[in-house]
């Protein structure tokens, strides 16, 4: 049979021929008579197989011949340069128009004395252009050497962009070269374009109008990668990252080729274009309207060089194809399978041929139709592949003739080739699987030479048809894995499990031993479960270590096995490795399928419960290295598969396997980091993501520690190469910082510290978001409870990072060097002029830092709280001049105020619990609130910050004052003192800068502090009512003598004593707090702070505290019980009298000063009347203390006998304490003028008479009282 006959045969005739040959190959049915001798029968059957092989071979040859006719059918040379050197539009005959590129070059000859020099210049320039159009590199070298152009990349790029006569094909080919200078020229060429404000379609047209993209995929990738960076640079808001522009650029080019190439039959629809571009914007979809409009623009208007617009119509398609590199681009379509559509089959043509077959099938005469469309082979294969598979399989299985088995294996190879190229997945897998089974690698004891030949055949299929195997790769790679397994068993080498018990260095030092099987005869080999499994023909994974004696194989079986293994010497390491090395020549779809299949095989090896293997894993690392130079679009798809695999195995329960896999990933990452990454790309981050995922999800301490070690080693050894990978690196360290294992925390922090100290500029060189990631990482370390030193050092590093951030280099890029110089916010005019766009971008990086430090102030560890507090306020104080008014508002509301409010809430809740349940009090829970030292430091820092930036943050005064008032009203005296000191300093520093309204805010806060806690305090005071105490001192003595017995046996009494102790303590603290408030109010009362509204507030404060003090001192039951309780508890009594005296004294002083300093305001507010009322109260309190009744009360009985009872010691002491207050009140009354005193004399005279009749503890009262009668009463009487 010949190929020509094959081309003119009907499908029906082919079916008849093949089925006939199948029957012949299978021989006569069992039991049937035949006239052929056995030898003739065998020969006849072998010839039938030979015919079948010829048929399938001729099909393949015809298919290959026709597929090579079109540029679009070059799958095997997918990644190679398929574009030949075409003639330029202007020709390449050595002539070119005048070069008018550089005015400065032409001006060199503008004043030339002769035309000869100009002519010589043009001739030399034309020579260089002509040389460039043949060999671009030599042309550029010539032009530079003759000084026609400058030697800088920018000058060469300008020449390529503007010179006429240059071949567009050669320009694209030159700029796509890998050489350093060509790459720099390409970068300069792209940088010369300004894409600002351009639509994406407009930009790519503008970019491609001056040259044709080369045919080699890697060259296209380099050019489009730089274009995407350039477009994103001018249009940063168009996409999430440059990756999106990169992928979309490829999609546009492929759409242009698909739409305007006549060789593409089935055009891409709009829905296909939108679907192909889903998820390209950092996992999100671009708007369908945007993609639809882009599709319409490309369909309506082809992207072409500017020179091609005037070219004849019949040249446009080929020119466009050369421009866009059809040979390399068509194979880049993501997700396209090698199916019928990929072959460009015309469905209508096929349907027409089928109808012709049906019409002619009923006619007797034979009519042959010659066809040229390879799709016709699908019909032939669909009817004849089954018989061919049966004939080859049966013959190969039954025959022992080397020539016959070789024919069968050739038939398998040709059938696999044709079905694979035609996209017949089921048929392809059937042929490949059959060959794989005939290798007998799963039962090596039965192997023969034909099985070894089958191994060679399957390796040949892998190498020759790798681009079309797709899922069939799994069968082939499984065979390669089994070959390597058998070789190791034959060598007697240790199993792969031994790799998991040695160090990585030892693993790398292991070298393969020479093939041979001397060790199988060693003692104990027969008990090797792996050998037993293979010899007995069972799966190795199904064997167990505990093989019983009855299952052991005999020495004869072992010898037979060794003999068969010797056959595998024909398959050397070179053949095995060649399949994997050849992977770099697979096209983009094939390499993805290859990697997926290898991952499946490796997973099966590693998941073996008894003896995991690493052969396929090591090959994965190898092929990843081989293919690392592929275009990034393809490499990203490869890595998506590998990433899932490494994560899955890295989380394996088998710790040894997981460790080995993570170390393999480390080796691969080390190699990948050597690749240069441009700005705004995300490849490194995606590559390192498996480390992050494993670090987050792994429950194994060893794996997490290994991940940290791997990342540390990679970063420190490749620090200058890391770009977008910093995000993943810092994410790993962030997870490590929260780890429970101290060793992991210390290891990660050691590396992070080195990065911050020595390589911080590298980390923030291209990725500004690294600042945010670094802040979050350090804050996590600061929160770590593993080691306080780590937390403190992390806080110190945060301070360092803040200083780096404040340097301004983060925002000041080439695009906005002038605009981003920060002006001090104190300069109002400068601040108003500044548009805050750059500063907004800049200050956004401060947010996680400041909020993180704010939260750290709540850490239960005192040292961490103090350190974070100090660093936070130092940062705000040192760098606050970078912040705007708006940002400062956010700082106070989100950073500063929450610090104090959280601790204030905790303190108040504790106090309330204690007030309502004194017996269950806990004054200070460890770590729950600040101690006095921390509180004092916090208040001091707050005041310093507010005073320093008062002009900017003065609107935050109410919040600041409220915080300080919260300190003051705290029942802990130390905190109250802290609040007083801080408020006094705030007022003194801002005294002349505060407005009356701002003073009002301060006074209102003090009033709230004075009044808010009184109701709760009075509730606490009522708990004393239920406490029973002895009635007198003698009974107390009895209680004291028997107290031990009572404390031991009477739980209620013991609880009462504890409650009494707490109440006494609370009374003392409450009095101290109220006195501190009086002190602050008194000190803050000066002319600058007084207005009518403020005086009313101050008067209310004095009045409330005085009335409260009097009420407290009027509690008869309390006054009765307190001395006894304090005696029992051996405590000093609360200074109730002192509290009352001081409150009235301060009130009296305030009114007297107000009358003296502000007479007009005093008159308006009738302060004089208030003064008289206060003096009346003071006198009445004093008289009540003496037990005297007023004259009004005695007027009913004119004759009353007064018996002067001697005063006790306690009363005398109280008189002594109250003397100064009474004296002050009398002096205040004596200071009134006669007319004023006359108005109040009716109220005052009875009190003054009672004072005359009373006994006094000091003669000072009588003297002042005498003065009042002489100076005030006397003049009135004399009138």
């Amino acid at each position: 049979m010949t190929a020509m006959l094959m081309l003119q045969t009907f499908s029906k005739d082919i079916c008849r021929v093949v089925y006939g040959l199948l029957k012949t190959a299978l021989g006569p049915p069992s039991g049937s008579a035949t006239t052929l001798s056995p030898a003739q029968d065998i020969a006849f059957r072998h010839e039938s197989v030979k015919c079948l092989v010829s048929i399938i071979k001729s099909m393949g040859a015809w298919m290959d011949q026709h597929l090579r006719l079109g540029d679009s059918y070059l799958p095997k040379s997918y990644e190679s340069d398929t574009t030949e050197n075409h003639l330029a539009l202007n020709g390449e005959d050595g002539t070119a128009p005048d070069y008018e590129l550089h005015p400065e070059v032409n001006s060199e000859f503008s004043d030339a004395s002769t035309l000869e020099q100009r002519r010589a210049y043009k001739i030399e320039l034309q020579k260089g252009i002509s040389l460039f159009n043949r060999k671009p590199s030599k042309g550029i070298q010539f032009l530079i050497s003759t000084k026609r152009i400058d030697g800088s990349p920018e000058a060469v790029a300008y020449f390529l962009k503007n010179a006429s006569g240059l071949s567009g094909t050669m320009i694209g080919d030159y700029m796509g070269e890998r050489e350093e200078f060509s790459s720099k020229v390409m970068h300069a060429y792209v940088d010369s374009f300004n894409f600002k404000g351009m639509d994406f379609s407009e930009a790519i047209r503008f970019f491609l109008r001056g040259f044709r993209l080369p045919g080699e995929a890697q060259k296209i990738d380099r050019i489009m990668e730089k274009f995407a960076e350039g477009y994103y640079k001018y249009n940063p808001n168009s996409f999430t990252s440059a990756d999106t522009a990169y992928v979309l650029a490829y999609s546009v080019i492929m759409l242009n080729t698909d739409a305007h190439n006549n060789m593409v039959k089935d055009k891409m629809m709009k829905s296909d274009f939108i679907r192909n571009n889903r998820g390209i914007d950092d996992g999100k979809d671009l708007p369908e309207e945007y993609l639809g409009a882009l599709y319409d623009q490309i369909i309506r208007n082809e992207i072409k060089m500017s020179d091609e617009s005037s070219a004849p119509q019949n040249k446009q398609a080929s020119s466009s194809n050369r421009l866009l590199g059809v040979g390399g681009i068509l194979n880049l379509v993501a997700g396209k399978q090698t199916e019928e559509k990929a072959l460009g089959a015309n469905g209508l043509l096929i349907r027409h041929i089928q109808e012709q077959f049906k019409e002619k099938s009923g006619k007797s005469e034979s009519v042959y139709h010659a066809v040229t469309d390879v799709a016709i082979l699908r019909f032939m294969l669909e009817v004849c592949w089954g018989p061919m598979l049966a004939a080859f399989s049966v013959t190969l299985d039954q025959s022992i003739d080397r020539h016959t088995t070789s024919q069968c294996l050739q038939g398998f190879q040709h059938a696999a080739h044709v079905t694979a190229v035609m996209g017949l997945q089921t048929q392809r897998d059937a042929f490949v699987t059959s060959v794989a089974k005939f290798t007998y690698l799963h039962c090596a004891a039965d192997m023969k030479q034909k099985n070894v030949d089958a191994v060679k055949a399957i390796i040949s299929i892998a190498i020759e048809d790798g681009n079309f195997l797709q899922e069939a790769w799994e069968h082939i790679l499984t065979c390669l894995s089994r070959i390597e397994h058998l070789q190791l068993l034959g060598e007697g080498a240790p199993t792969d499990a031994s790799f998991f018990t040695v160090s990585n260095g030892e693993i790398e030092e292991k070298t393969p031993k020479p093939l041979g099987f001397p060790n199988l005869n060693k003692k104990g080999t027969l008990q090797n479960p792996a050998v037993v499994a293979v010899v007995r023909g069972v799966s190795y994974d199904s064997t167990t270590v505990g093989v019983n004696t009855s299952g052991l194989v005999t020495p004869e079986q072992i010898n037979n096995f060794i003999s068969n293994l010797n056959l595998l010497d024909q398959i050397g390491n070179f053949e095995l490795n060649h399949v994997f090395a050849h992977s770099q020549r697979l096209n983009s779809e094939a390499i993805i399928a290859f990697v997926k299949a290898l991952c499946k095989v490796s997973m099966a090896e590693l998941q073996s419960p008894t003896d995991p293997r690493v052969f396929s894993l090591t090959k994965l690392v190898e092929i990843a290295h081989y293919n690392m130079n592929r275009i990034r679009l393809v490499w990203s798809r490869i890595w998506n598969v590998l990433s899932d695999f490494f994560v899955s195995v890295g989380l394996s329960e088998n710790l040894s396997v997981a460790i080995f896999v993570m170390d393999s990933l480390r080796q691969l990452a080390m190699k990948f980091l050597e690749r240069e990454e441009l700005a705004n790309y995300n490849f490194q981050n995606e590559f390192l993501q498996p480390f992050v995922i494993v670090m987050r999800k792994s429950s194994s301490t060893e794996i997490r520690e290994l991940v940290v070690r791997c990342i540390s080693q990679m970063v420190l050894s490749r620090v200058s190469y890391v770009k977008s990978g910093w995000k993943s690196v810092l994410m790993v360290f962030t997870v490590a910082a929260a780890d429970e294992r101290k060793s992991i925390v210390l290891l990660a922090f050691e590396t992070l510290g080195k990065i911050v100290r020595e390589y911080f500029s590298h980390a923030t060189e291209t990725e500004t978001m690294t600042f945010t990631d670094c802040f979050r990482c350090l804050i996590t370390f600061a929160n770590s409870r593993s080691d306080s030193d780590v937390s403190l050092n992390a806080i110190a590093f945060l301070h360092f990072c803040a200083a780096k951030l404040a340097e301004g280099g983060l925002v000041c890029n080439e695009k906005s060097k002038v605009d981003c110089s920060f002006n001090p916010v104190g300069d109002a005019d400068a601040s108003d002029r500044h548009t805050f766009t750059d500063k907004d971008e800049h200050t956004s990086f401060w947010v996680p830092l400041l909020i993180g430090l704010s939260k750290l102030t709540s850490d239960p560890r005192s040292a961490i709280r103090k350190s974070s507090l100090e660093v936070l306020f130092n940062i705000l104080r040192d760098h606050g001049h970078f912040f705007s008014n708006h940002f400062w508002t956010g700082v106070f509301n989100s950073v500063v105020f929450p610090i104090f409010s959280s601790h204030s809430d905790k303190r108040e809740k504790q106090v309330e619990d204690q007030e309502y349940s004194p017996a269950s009090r806990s004054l200070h829970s460890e770590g729950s609130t600040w101690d006095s030292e921390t509180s004092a430091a916090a208040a001091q820092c707050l005041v310093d910050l507010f005073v320093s930036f008062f002009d900017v943050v003065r609107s935050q005064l109410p919040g600041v004052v409220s915080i300080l008032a919260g300190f003051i009203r705290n029942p802990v005296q130390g905190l109250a003192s802290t609040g007083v000191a801080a408020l006094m300093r705030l007022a003194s520093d801002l005294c002349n800068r505060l407005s009356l309204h701002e003073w009002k805010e301060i006074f209102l806060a003090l009033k709230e502090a004075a009044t808010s806690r009184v109701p709760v305090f009075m509730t606490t005071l009522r708990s004393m009512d239920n406490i029973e105490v002895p009635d007198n001192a003698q009974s107390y003595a009895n209680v004291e003598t028997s107290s031990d017995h009572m404390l031991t046996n009477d739980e209620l009494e013991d609880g009462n004593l504890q409650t009494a102790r707490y109440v006494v303590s609370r009374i003392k603290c409450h009095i101290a707090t109220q006195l501190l408030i009086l002190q602050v109010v008194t000190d803050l009362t000066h002319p600058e702070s007084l207005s009518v509204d403020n005086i009313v507030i101050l008067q209310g404060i004095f009045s409330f505290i005085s009335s409260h003090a009097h009420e407290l001192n009027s509690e008869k039951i309390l006054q009765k019980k307190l001395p006894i309780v304090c005696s029992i508890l051996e405590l000093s009594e609360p200074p109730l009298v002192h509290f009352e005296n001081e409150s009235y004294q301060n009130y009296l002083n305030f009114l007297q000063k107000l009358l003296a300093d502000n007479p007009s305001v005093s008159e308006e507010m009738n302060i004089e009347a208030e003064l008289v009322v206060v003096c009346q109260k003071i006198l009445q309190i004093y008289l009540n203390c003496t037990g005297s009744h007023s004259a009004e009360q005695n007027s009913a009985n004119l004759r009353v006998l007064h018996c002067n009872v001697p005063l006790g010691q306690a009363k005398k002491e109280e008189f002594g304490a109250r003397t100064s207050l009474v004296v002050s009140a009398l002096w205040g009354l004596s200071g009134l003028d006669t007319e004023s005193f006359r108005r109040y004399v009716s109220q005052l005279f009875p009190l003054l008479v009672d004072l005359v009749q009373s006994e006094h503890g000091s003669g000072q009262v009588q003297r002042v009282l005498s003065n009042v009668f002489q100076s005030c009463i006397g003049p009135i009487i004399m009138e």
Side-chain angles (χ1 to χ4, degrees), residues 1016-1032:
V1016 178
F1017 169 75
M1018 296 304 293
T1019 303
T1020 304
L1021 211 58
R1022 296 280 70 83
S1023 60
M1024 285 288 289
D1025 296 344
N1026 300 323
I1027 299 177
E1028 298 294 335
V1029 297
D1031 292 337
N1032 49 48

Side-chain angles (χ1 to χ4, degrees), residues 83 86-90 166-170 205 208-213 256 260 301-326:
T83 305
H86 298 283
L87 292 176
L89 291 175
N90 293 323
L166 294 175
S167 167
T169 301
M170 292 302 153
R205 290 178 193 278
L208 294 176
R209 68 180 183 178
F211 70 100
R212 298 190 183 98
L213 286 175
N256 188 79
H260 302 287
N301 187 12
E302 180 184 359
I303 300 176
K304 62 184 79 174
M305 287 179 60
S306 57
D307 296 355
E308 294 174 349
S309 59
S310 59
Q313 182 67 26
N314 60 350
K315 292 185 178 180
Q316 285 188 355
S318 60
S319 299
S320 176
N321 293 339
R322 291 195 299 271
L323 165 66
L324 300 178
V326 176

Side-chain angles (χ1 to χ4, degrees), residues 1027 1047 1052-1062 1125 1128-1129:
I1027 299 177
L1047 289 174
L1052 179 61
E1053 186 67 22
D1054 179 64
N1056 287 337
L1057 289 175
Q1058 294 297 326
T1059 301
R1061 183 187 299 274
Y1062 173 72
V1125 168
I1128 295 174
L1129 299 175

Side-chain angles (χ1 to χ4, degrees), residues 30 46 125 160 229 377 407 416 444 448 675 800 933 965 1091:
S30 177
H46 290 177
L125 180 63
L160 297 179
E229 183 202 34
L377 280 181
Q407 284 289 328
K448 298 178 177 59
R675 297 188 66 184
F800 171 81
E933 184 179 353
S1091 66

Side-chain angles (χ1 to χ4, degrees), residues 729-739 773 776-778 780-781:
V729 170
L730 293 172
M731 288 174 69
V732 168
F733 289 155
T734 302
V735 177
D739 202 284
D773 297 328
R776 289 173 179 157
C777 184
L778 287 170
T780 308
F781 273 110

Side-chain angles (χ1 to χ4, degrees), residues 453-486:
D453 292 339
V455 173
K456 296 178 181 178
I458 206 163
I459 292 177
S460 178
I461 291 173
I463 294 175
E464 294 178 4
D465 298 303
N467 280 338
F468 312 101
L469 291 176
Q470 297 298 321
E471 292 81 2
W473 269 115
E474 185 176 353
H475 306 297
I476 297 174
L477 295 174
T478 300
C479 289
L480 300 184
S481 172
R482 288 172 175 169
I483 293 172
E484 190 268 350
H485 185 209
L486 292 173

Side-chain angles (χ1 to χ4, degrees), residues 1047-1201:
L1047 289 174
T1048 302
N1049 300 310
D1050 194 340
E1051 294 295 330
L1052 179 61
E1053 186 67 22
D1054 179 64
N1056 287 337
L1057 289 175
Q1058 294 297 326
T1059 301
R1061 183 187 299 274
Y1062 173 72
V1063 171
V1064 171
S1065 174
R1066 285 292 296 117
I1067 294 174
K1068 292 180 179 179
C1069 292
H1070 180 73
I1071 292 174
T1073 301
Q1074 295 291 321
L1075 290 176
L1076 283 172
I1077 295 174
L1078 283 175
Q1079 175 191 342
V1080 174
V1081 173
T1082 302
D1083 292 341
L1084 295 183
T1085 303
H1086 46 76
E1088 293 83 358
S1089 64
L1090 296 181
S1091 66
V1092 173
D1093 291 340
N1094 292 348
I1095 291 173
V1096 171
I1097 297 172
L1098 292 172
Q1099 186 177 348
I1101 296 174
F1102 285 115
S1103 176
F1104 177 83
I1105 295 178
S1106 301
S1107 299
H1108 173 57
H1110 178 63
E1111 179 187 3
L1112 191 61
N1113 208 38
S1114 300
E1115 291 279 346
K1116 300 301 182 180
I1117 298 177
L1118 183 66
Q1119 289 183 338
K1120 177 182 178 182
K1121 291 183 178 181
L1122 273 180
I1124 300 175
V1125 168
C1126 291
S1127 297
I1128 295 174
L1129 299 175
E1130 298 181 353
L1131 298 174
S1132 60
E1133 293 184 34
L1136 297 178
V1137 175
H1138 174 72
F1139 177 36
E1140 187 176 15
N1141 288 341
E1142 286 297 315
S1143 60
Y1144 276 107
Q1145 183 68 62
N1146 281 275
Y1147 194 7
L1148 189 61
N1149 293 341
F1150 168 73
L1151 295 174
Q1152 289 176 332
K1153 184 177 181 181
L1154 199 60
L1155 281 171
D1157 297 341
N1158 297 277
S1160 59
V1161 175
S1162 299
E1163 183 177 357
E1164 178 185 352
M1165 298 181 64
N1166 199 15
I1167 296 299
E1168 186 178 77
E1170 181 67 20
L1171 174 64
V1172 172
V1173 172
V1174 172
C1175 290
Q1176 281 183 278
K1177 290 181 180 179
I1178 294 173
L1179 296 178
Q1180 189 62 57
I1181 292 171
Y1182 184 81
L1183 290 172
N1184 292 340
C1185 180
T1186 64
S1188 300
H1189 299 284
S1190 67
E1192 293 178 353
Q1193 292 174 327
N1194 295 332
S1195 61
N1197 300 311
L1198 298 178
R1199 296 179 181 180
V1200 178
L1201 180 63

Side-chain angles (χ1 to χ4, degrees), residues 452 455-456 459 480 483-484 487 491 515 565-580 615 619:
V452 177
V455 173
K456 296 178 181 178
I459 292 177
L480 300 184
I483 293 172
E484 190 268 350
Q487 290 177 345
E491 294 173 3
L515 288 178
L565 286 182
N566 285 328
L567 294 174
L568 287 178
D569 284 345
Q570 302 172 46
I571 311 297
N573 285 336
F574 175 78
E575 286 78 5
L576 289 180
N577 293 331
H578 186 48
V579 175
F580 298 99
F615 170 73
K619 293 305 177 184

